[in-house]
Amino acid sequence: MFEFTIRLDSLSVRPLYEQIYDYIKEEIQNGGLSCHERLPSTRKLAQYLDVSRSTVTLAYEQLLSEGYIENRPGSGFFVNDLEGLYKLSGEEEEETSETKQIKETFLYDFSPSGVDLESFPHNAWRKISRGLLMENNEDFYQLGNPEGEEELRKTIATYVHQARGVRCRPQQIVIGAGNDYLLMLLNAMLGDDRVYALENPTYRKAYDIMKILRQEVKTVEMDEQGIMVDELEKSGATVAYVMPSHHYPLGTVMPAGRRLQLLKWVSSGKDRYIIEDDYDSEFRYKGKPIPALQGFDSNDRVIYLGTFSKSIAPAIRISFLILPMRLMKLYRERGRRFSSTVSRMDQKILAEFIRAGYYERHLNRMRSVYKSRHDTLMECLKPLSNSVSISGEYAGTHLLLTLKNGMDEEQAIEAARKAGVRIYGLSSYYINEKPRRDTVILGYANLDEKKIREAAKILTRILK
Amino acid sequence: MFEFTIRLDSLSVRPLYEQIYDYIKEEIQNGGLSCHERLPSTRKLAQYLDVSRSTVTLAYEQLLSEGYIENRPGSGFFVNDLEGLYKLSGEEEEETSETKQIKETFLYDFSPSGVDLESFPHNAWRKISRGLLMENNEDFYQLGNPEGEEELRKTIATYVHQARGVRCRPQQIVIGAGNDYLLMLLNAMLGDDRVYALENPTYRKAYDIMKILRQEVKTVEMDEQGIMVDELEKSGATVAYVMPSHHYPLGTVMPAGRRLQLLKWVSSGKDRYIIEDDYDSEFRYKGKPIPALQGFDSNDRVIYLGTFSKSIAPAIRISFLILPMRLMKLYRERGRRFSSTVSRMDQKILAEFIRAGYYERHLNRMRSVYKSRHDTLMECLKPLSNSVSISGEYAGTHLLLTLKNGMDEEQAIEAARKAGVRIYGLSSYYINEKPRRDTVILGYANLDEKKIREAAKILTRILK
């Protein structure tokens, strides 16, 4: 059965697997596929659609967990009894259980977006929350300033200065509920007549968001030093979204020379800006910390984007923008119209958490936890030195393995999956271009050393 | 001195007073106005610029509080010594103290956006928060679903069904940090090829936000039943933002006939939608509660927007959208790309607050508190029955006085101001049209009965 002529749109912001999932689900719902009908095997469908097998597997897994299809071991996938399917259609909650499902089927998950939550300083956080709850301060329940609580902004200004060499006044700081929201806000401020450039590969979500917000977006190739500034100039972009401290996903740390080139680019055109996403700059295990680009920018052109989601916990929905002075007028005219998205209570808890020194202690602890996971992983991967080359190490919470053993990305992912280990492909971070298919990503933030050793042992066997 | 030829843009989203403030501030900063120079009186400048005197007063008050000018009693306003002014320029924190300043100079503030925070159920909220903090559940600190916690969405679905006659499944609900954010999200979902219509007058902020998001926005006149549907049809709009339960600021409750007309409009064109902002529907003091428009919509065209900022506290940054089923696909494709803006902990606190019955009790209590304030104000305004006519009463937390005593809005506001009472003009809620200048707004949510009596006594003297 090969009538799955799915029109896949590789330029769409929707992942391919979701497009496949949607197509099959709709076919089942409208009767195009009938009950107990057999689906093509993942291998055949992948071949037919010219996509990777893991893409089809992901789509099938979602359909499985939502009850649309069943897996009969040895015979393949079949459309399930339709009874009660209406209730399930489009239900987001099913998707949640689906996510759980996938997680549970992997013994070891090298998720690059993981965070070690066991180390979350529950006690300190709880103590501060309880203290503030006891205060019974009516002000906490009034709507605060659109830009956030002054107390938190002052604390952040001091912190980013000390830790990241950022030079700013508290007034330049805008607090918001996560990076996605702050990108939305920036977009509302900067208007339509900008051309954005993103590194290729890049943090896929930033790209998706800019496309959804209907911005003109270019991608610029990277070399081993980071974004290629000549290409950036040629692209005609006016706003460059970059991650100089530790690129995601490549792990590149941009050297001083390239930084200067980038700052030269931004100051040599009217209305040019850099958005510096400093998402995991806190974690660096070798060499001196490299200050943020913002600190070197004497032309007031860098928009700094920082977050506590990575360094504290993903559910702490607090990020911040540091705007150049020249954008303050625009912020007051447009940005300030949007009410604050973070409750005053949460802002006060975080401000106190930082002020009382808990944040610094937590960062030191996490740096040591992550360093030891990083070192363990590096050590355990040594037997692979002839079959993979490692990059992006010594910082952040993930590293990359480029395969020299003849396998491509999909094969490595599939082999690992069969052995209970989830690893990730680099190709999905590439946009609009033929991606590299020789590299996999291993995030180690959410695996303890014992698990890392066990998982690495499996990988060394598979990738040898 | 009359060289204040300020180009005021009445179509701008920036209030006129801010435009005046900006102009003068910039003149002082760049030396166009020198130290100790005298400014024109508020009366003269208002006359010259053809704006109300209170507009100029507001601009001067902001300049005063930020230290740019000083008031020499008996002689007028003078530019201050420039020493140290650089530090102040553009500092948002100064604006905060300015807001405080204005608040403190009024003995009685009939703010229409007020909420009674003394009645905030601190103990219940604290108890739930502490209980959840004790649970030490690692999951709370993981990033949740973009659309919000299932638990909260289920609770809200039940609540809006019982209280507002809204018919929806939990999956149609999207939680977000405030109405402004959810309007941003809707905008990202709906894309550029829509034409929005807002009632005139309207909730000014919604208008500002749509303009900042670069949408095409029309305004449609209202009669005593609400938005005029013929005019809406003529406007060419495809998305109508309305407040049928209790219009802000007019207080109009849309009768059944007009609702049906509106629903007919929305279903008679492809891709037409209604955004129903049900911001303070909880408070109604006479007659039967009128269910939300959403409950009557059999064509799956109403986007319902609800908030807990008004009914619990402004700092509770939790609002929700209820999407029609036909928009779920678009939400999954575009809206779901944006991470949740509300922390899981806050969502869990609110869900438990509603589930355990605290919300219902709180609403009942607030309904009785606000009703008694409403009744007191109505009673105290009786002596004015010949000089004002009251409208928008019996619901929400504000009412309108249309002046029949020969005064216009500015004169009434100014006279009240001198006597320590802050009342608000209706004109600023009108967009693009010659506004009505005969009506003032009195919000009573944040004044207790004693204060209402005292303030109303002053108003009866002034407005007689």
XYZ file of all heavy atoms in Angstrom, chain A residues 192 212 214, chain B residues 186-196 213-217 236-239 270-273 330 334:
240
model
N 8.060 46.053 10.982
C 8.094 45.149 9.838
C 9.272 45.326 8.890
O 9.598 44.432 8.140
C 6.813 45.312 9.011
C 5.752 44.347 9.478
O 6.120 43.355 10.129
O 4.570 44.592 9.206
N 6.726 32.787 11.955
C 5.316 32.904 12.326
C 4.943 34.374 12.487
O 3.833 34.790 12.151
C 5.024 32.111 13.627
C 5.126 30.611 13.346
C 3.646 32.451 14.180
C 5.103 29.762 14.590
N 5.946 36.583 10.755
C 5.939 37.113 9.401
C 7.088 38.086 9.138
O 6.928 39.111 8.475
C 4.583 37.766 9.103
C 3.428 36.785 9.309
C 2.075 37.401 9.106
N 1.701 38.389 10.085
C 1.309 38.132 11.321
N 1.249 36.896 11.766
N 0.966 39.110 12.140
N -2.801 35.577 19.495
C -3.868 35.486 18.497
C -3.417 36.122 17.196
O -3.641 35.599 16.109
C -5.101 36.245 18.984
C -6.282 35.454 19.505
C -7.425 36.389 19.809
C -6.723 34.384 18.506
N -2.784 37.275 17.334
C -2.298 37.980 16.167
C -1.288 37.138 15.392
O -1.339 37.051 14.160
C -1.675 39.306 16.621
C -0.924 39.985 15.514
O 0.289 39.858 15.401
N -1.640 40.682 14.664
N -0.391 36.486 16.139
C 0.596 35.623 15.490
C -0.103 34.469 14.768
O 0.305 34.053 13.689
C 1.593 35.083 16.517
N -1.186 33.968 15.376
C -1.912 32.853 14.767
C -2.701 33.279 13.534
O -2.697 32.614 12.514
C -2.915 32.278 15.766
C -2.342 31.305 16.752
S -3.608 30.904 17.970
C -4.907 30.191 16.929
N -3.413 34.396 13.667
C -4.355 34.784 12.619
C -3.673 35.393 11.407
O -4.241 35.424 10.322
C -5.419 35.732 13.175
C -6.354 35.138 14.239
C -7.308 36.198 14.774
C -7.148 33.957 13.688
N -2.467 35.901 11.589
C -1.719 36.403 10.443
C -2.127 37.806 10.021
O -2.884 38.489 10.710
N -1.625 38.207 8.875
C -1.719 39.606 8.468
C -2.953 39.980 7.672
O -3.310 41.131 7.572
C -0.490 39.973 7.626
C 0.607 40.525 8.487
O 0.300 40.931 9.620
O 1.762 40.542 8.033
N -3.597 38.979 7.063
C -4.642 39.326 6.105
C -6.024 39.448 6.742
O -7.035 39.125 6.145
C -4.654 38.305 4.954
C -4.596 36.878 5.495
O -4.321 36.719 6.706
O -4.832 35.931 4.724
N -6.055 39.940 7.976
C -7.332 40.155 8.656
C -7.573 41.646 8.777
O -6.644 42.430 8.774
C -7.299 39.571 10.066
C -6.668 38.213 10.172
C -7.660 37.108 9.894
N -6.982 35.814 9.850
C -7.612 34.649 9.762
N -8.932 34.607 9.689
N -6.943 33.523 9.708
N -8.842 42.012 8.897
C -9.172 43.398 9.217
C -9.959 43.369 10.528
O -10.991 42.704 10.620
C -10.009 44.047 8.103
C -10.321 45.497 8.450
C -9.287 43.952 6.765
N -9.445 44.028 11.528
C -10.078 44.016 12.839
C -11.047 45.191 12.968
O -10.806 46.265 12.422
C -9.028 44.120 13.944
C -8.190 42.868 14.082
C -7.120 42.631 13.237
C -8.497 41.921 15.053
C -6.357 41.482 13.349
C -7.747 40.760 15.177
C -6.676 40.545 14.321
O -5.928 39.395 14.432
N 0.919 46.014 16.603
C 1.166 44.756 15.882
C 0.882 44.911 14.394
O 0.862 43.936 13.653
C 0.336 43.628 16.493
C 0.684 43.293 17.948
C -0.275 42.270 18.518
C 2.125 42.798 18.069
N 0.674 46.155 13.968
C 0.567 46.493 12.552
C -0.612 45.815 11.863
O -0.521 45.357 10.734
C 1.891 46.155 11.841
C 3.075 46.839 12.515
C 4.397 46.478 11.910
N 4.817 45.111 12.117
C 5.307 44.631 13.247
N 5.445 45.397 14.297
N 5.676 43.372 13.326
N -1.714 45.761 12.577
C -2.925 45.231 11.981
C -3.744 46.358 11.380
O -3.645 47.502 11.817
C -3.760 44.518 13.047
C -3.115 43.262 13.567
C -2.943 42.206 12.494
O -3.593 42.240 11.451
N -2.037 41.273 12.729
N -4.572 46.000 10.429
C -5.525 46.955 9.904
C -6.709 46.987 10.887
O -7.333 45.954 11.138
C -5.991 46.532 8.507
C -6.743 47.628 7.793
C -7.162 47.225 6.381
O -6.626 46.244 5.847
O -8.052 47.905 5.847
N -6.998 48.149 11.428
C -8.030 48.253 12.455
C -9.075 49.292 12.069
O -8.741 50.423 11.704
C -7.433 48.652 13.831
C -8.487 48.543 14.925
C -6.234 47.790 14.172
N -15.989 46.297 6.381
C -15.113 45.350 5.694
C -14.273 44.517 6.646
O -13.407 43.759 6.221
N -14.540 44.662 7.953
C -13.757 43.917 8.945
C -14.076 42.427 8.871
O -15.171 42.037 8.458
C -14.037 44.441 10.342
N -13.106 41.600 9.286
C -13.349 40.156 9.354
C -13.261 39.639 10.786
O -13.714 38.537 11.067
C -12.351 39.379 8.468
O -11.019 39.721 8.864
C -12.532 39.722 7.003
N -12.638 40.410 11.664
C -12.570 40.015 13.074
C -13.080 41.168 13.936
O -12.543 42.272 13.864
C -11.115 39.678 13.501
C -11.094 39.178 14.945
C -10.498 38.640 12.577
N -16.816 34.027 5.111
C -15.761 33.048 5.338
C -14.692 33.684 6.218
O -14.339 34.845 6.047
C -15.162 32.643 3.980
C -14.530 31.258 3.973
C -13.909 30.975 2.597
C -12.628 30.186 2.717
N -11.430 30.955 3.021
N -14.181 32.902 7.147
C -13.050 33.366 7.950
C -13.362 34.596 8.796
O -12.475 35.393 9.077
C -11.861 33.679 7.030
C -10.799 32.600 7.155
O -11.018 31.640 7.915
O -9.754 32.733 6.502
N -14.619 34.760 9.174
C -14.944 35.839 10.104
C -14.897 35.311 11.530
O -15.282 34.173 11.783
C -16.346 36.389 9.821
C -16.388 37.337 8.654
C -17.780 37.941 8.509
N -17.807 38.833 7.356
C -18.900 39.432 6.915
N -20.058 39.233 7.532
N -18.846 40.238 5.867
N -14.445 36.135 12.444
C -14.392 35.742 13.855
C -14.833 36.881 14.757
O -14.750 38.051 14.393
C -12.972 35.312 14.250
C -12.548 34.052 13.555
C -11.767 34.106 12.399
C -12.994 32.821 14.016
C -11.417 32.944 11.731
C -12.650 31.651 13.344
C -11.869 31.723 12.208
O -11.540 30.580 11.541
N -4.732 25.796 13.336
C -3.856 26.962 13.266
C -3.085 27.123 14.577
O -1.907 27.476 14.586
C -4.720 28.207 13.017
C -4.078 29.382 12.304
C -3.509 28.966 10.968
C -5.091 30.502 12.111
N 0.897 27.194 14.600
C 1.607 28.443 14.905
C 1.671 28.745 16.398
O 2.727 29.022 16.941
C 0.933 29.617 14.186
C 0.927 29.459 12.681
C 0.388 30.726 12.031
N 0.263 30.581 10.596
C -0.332 31.479 9.812
N -0.848 32.571 10.348
N -0.410 31.284 8.509
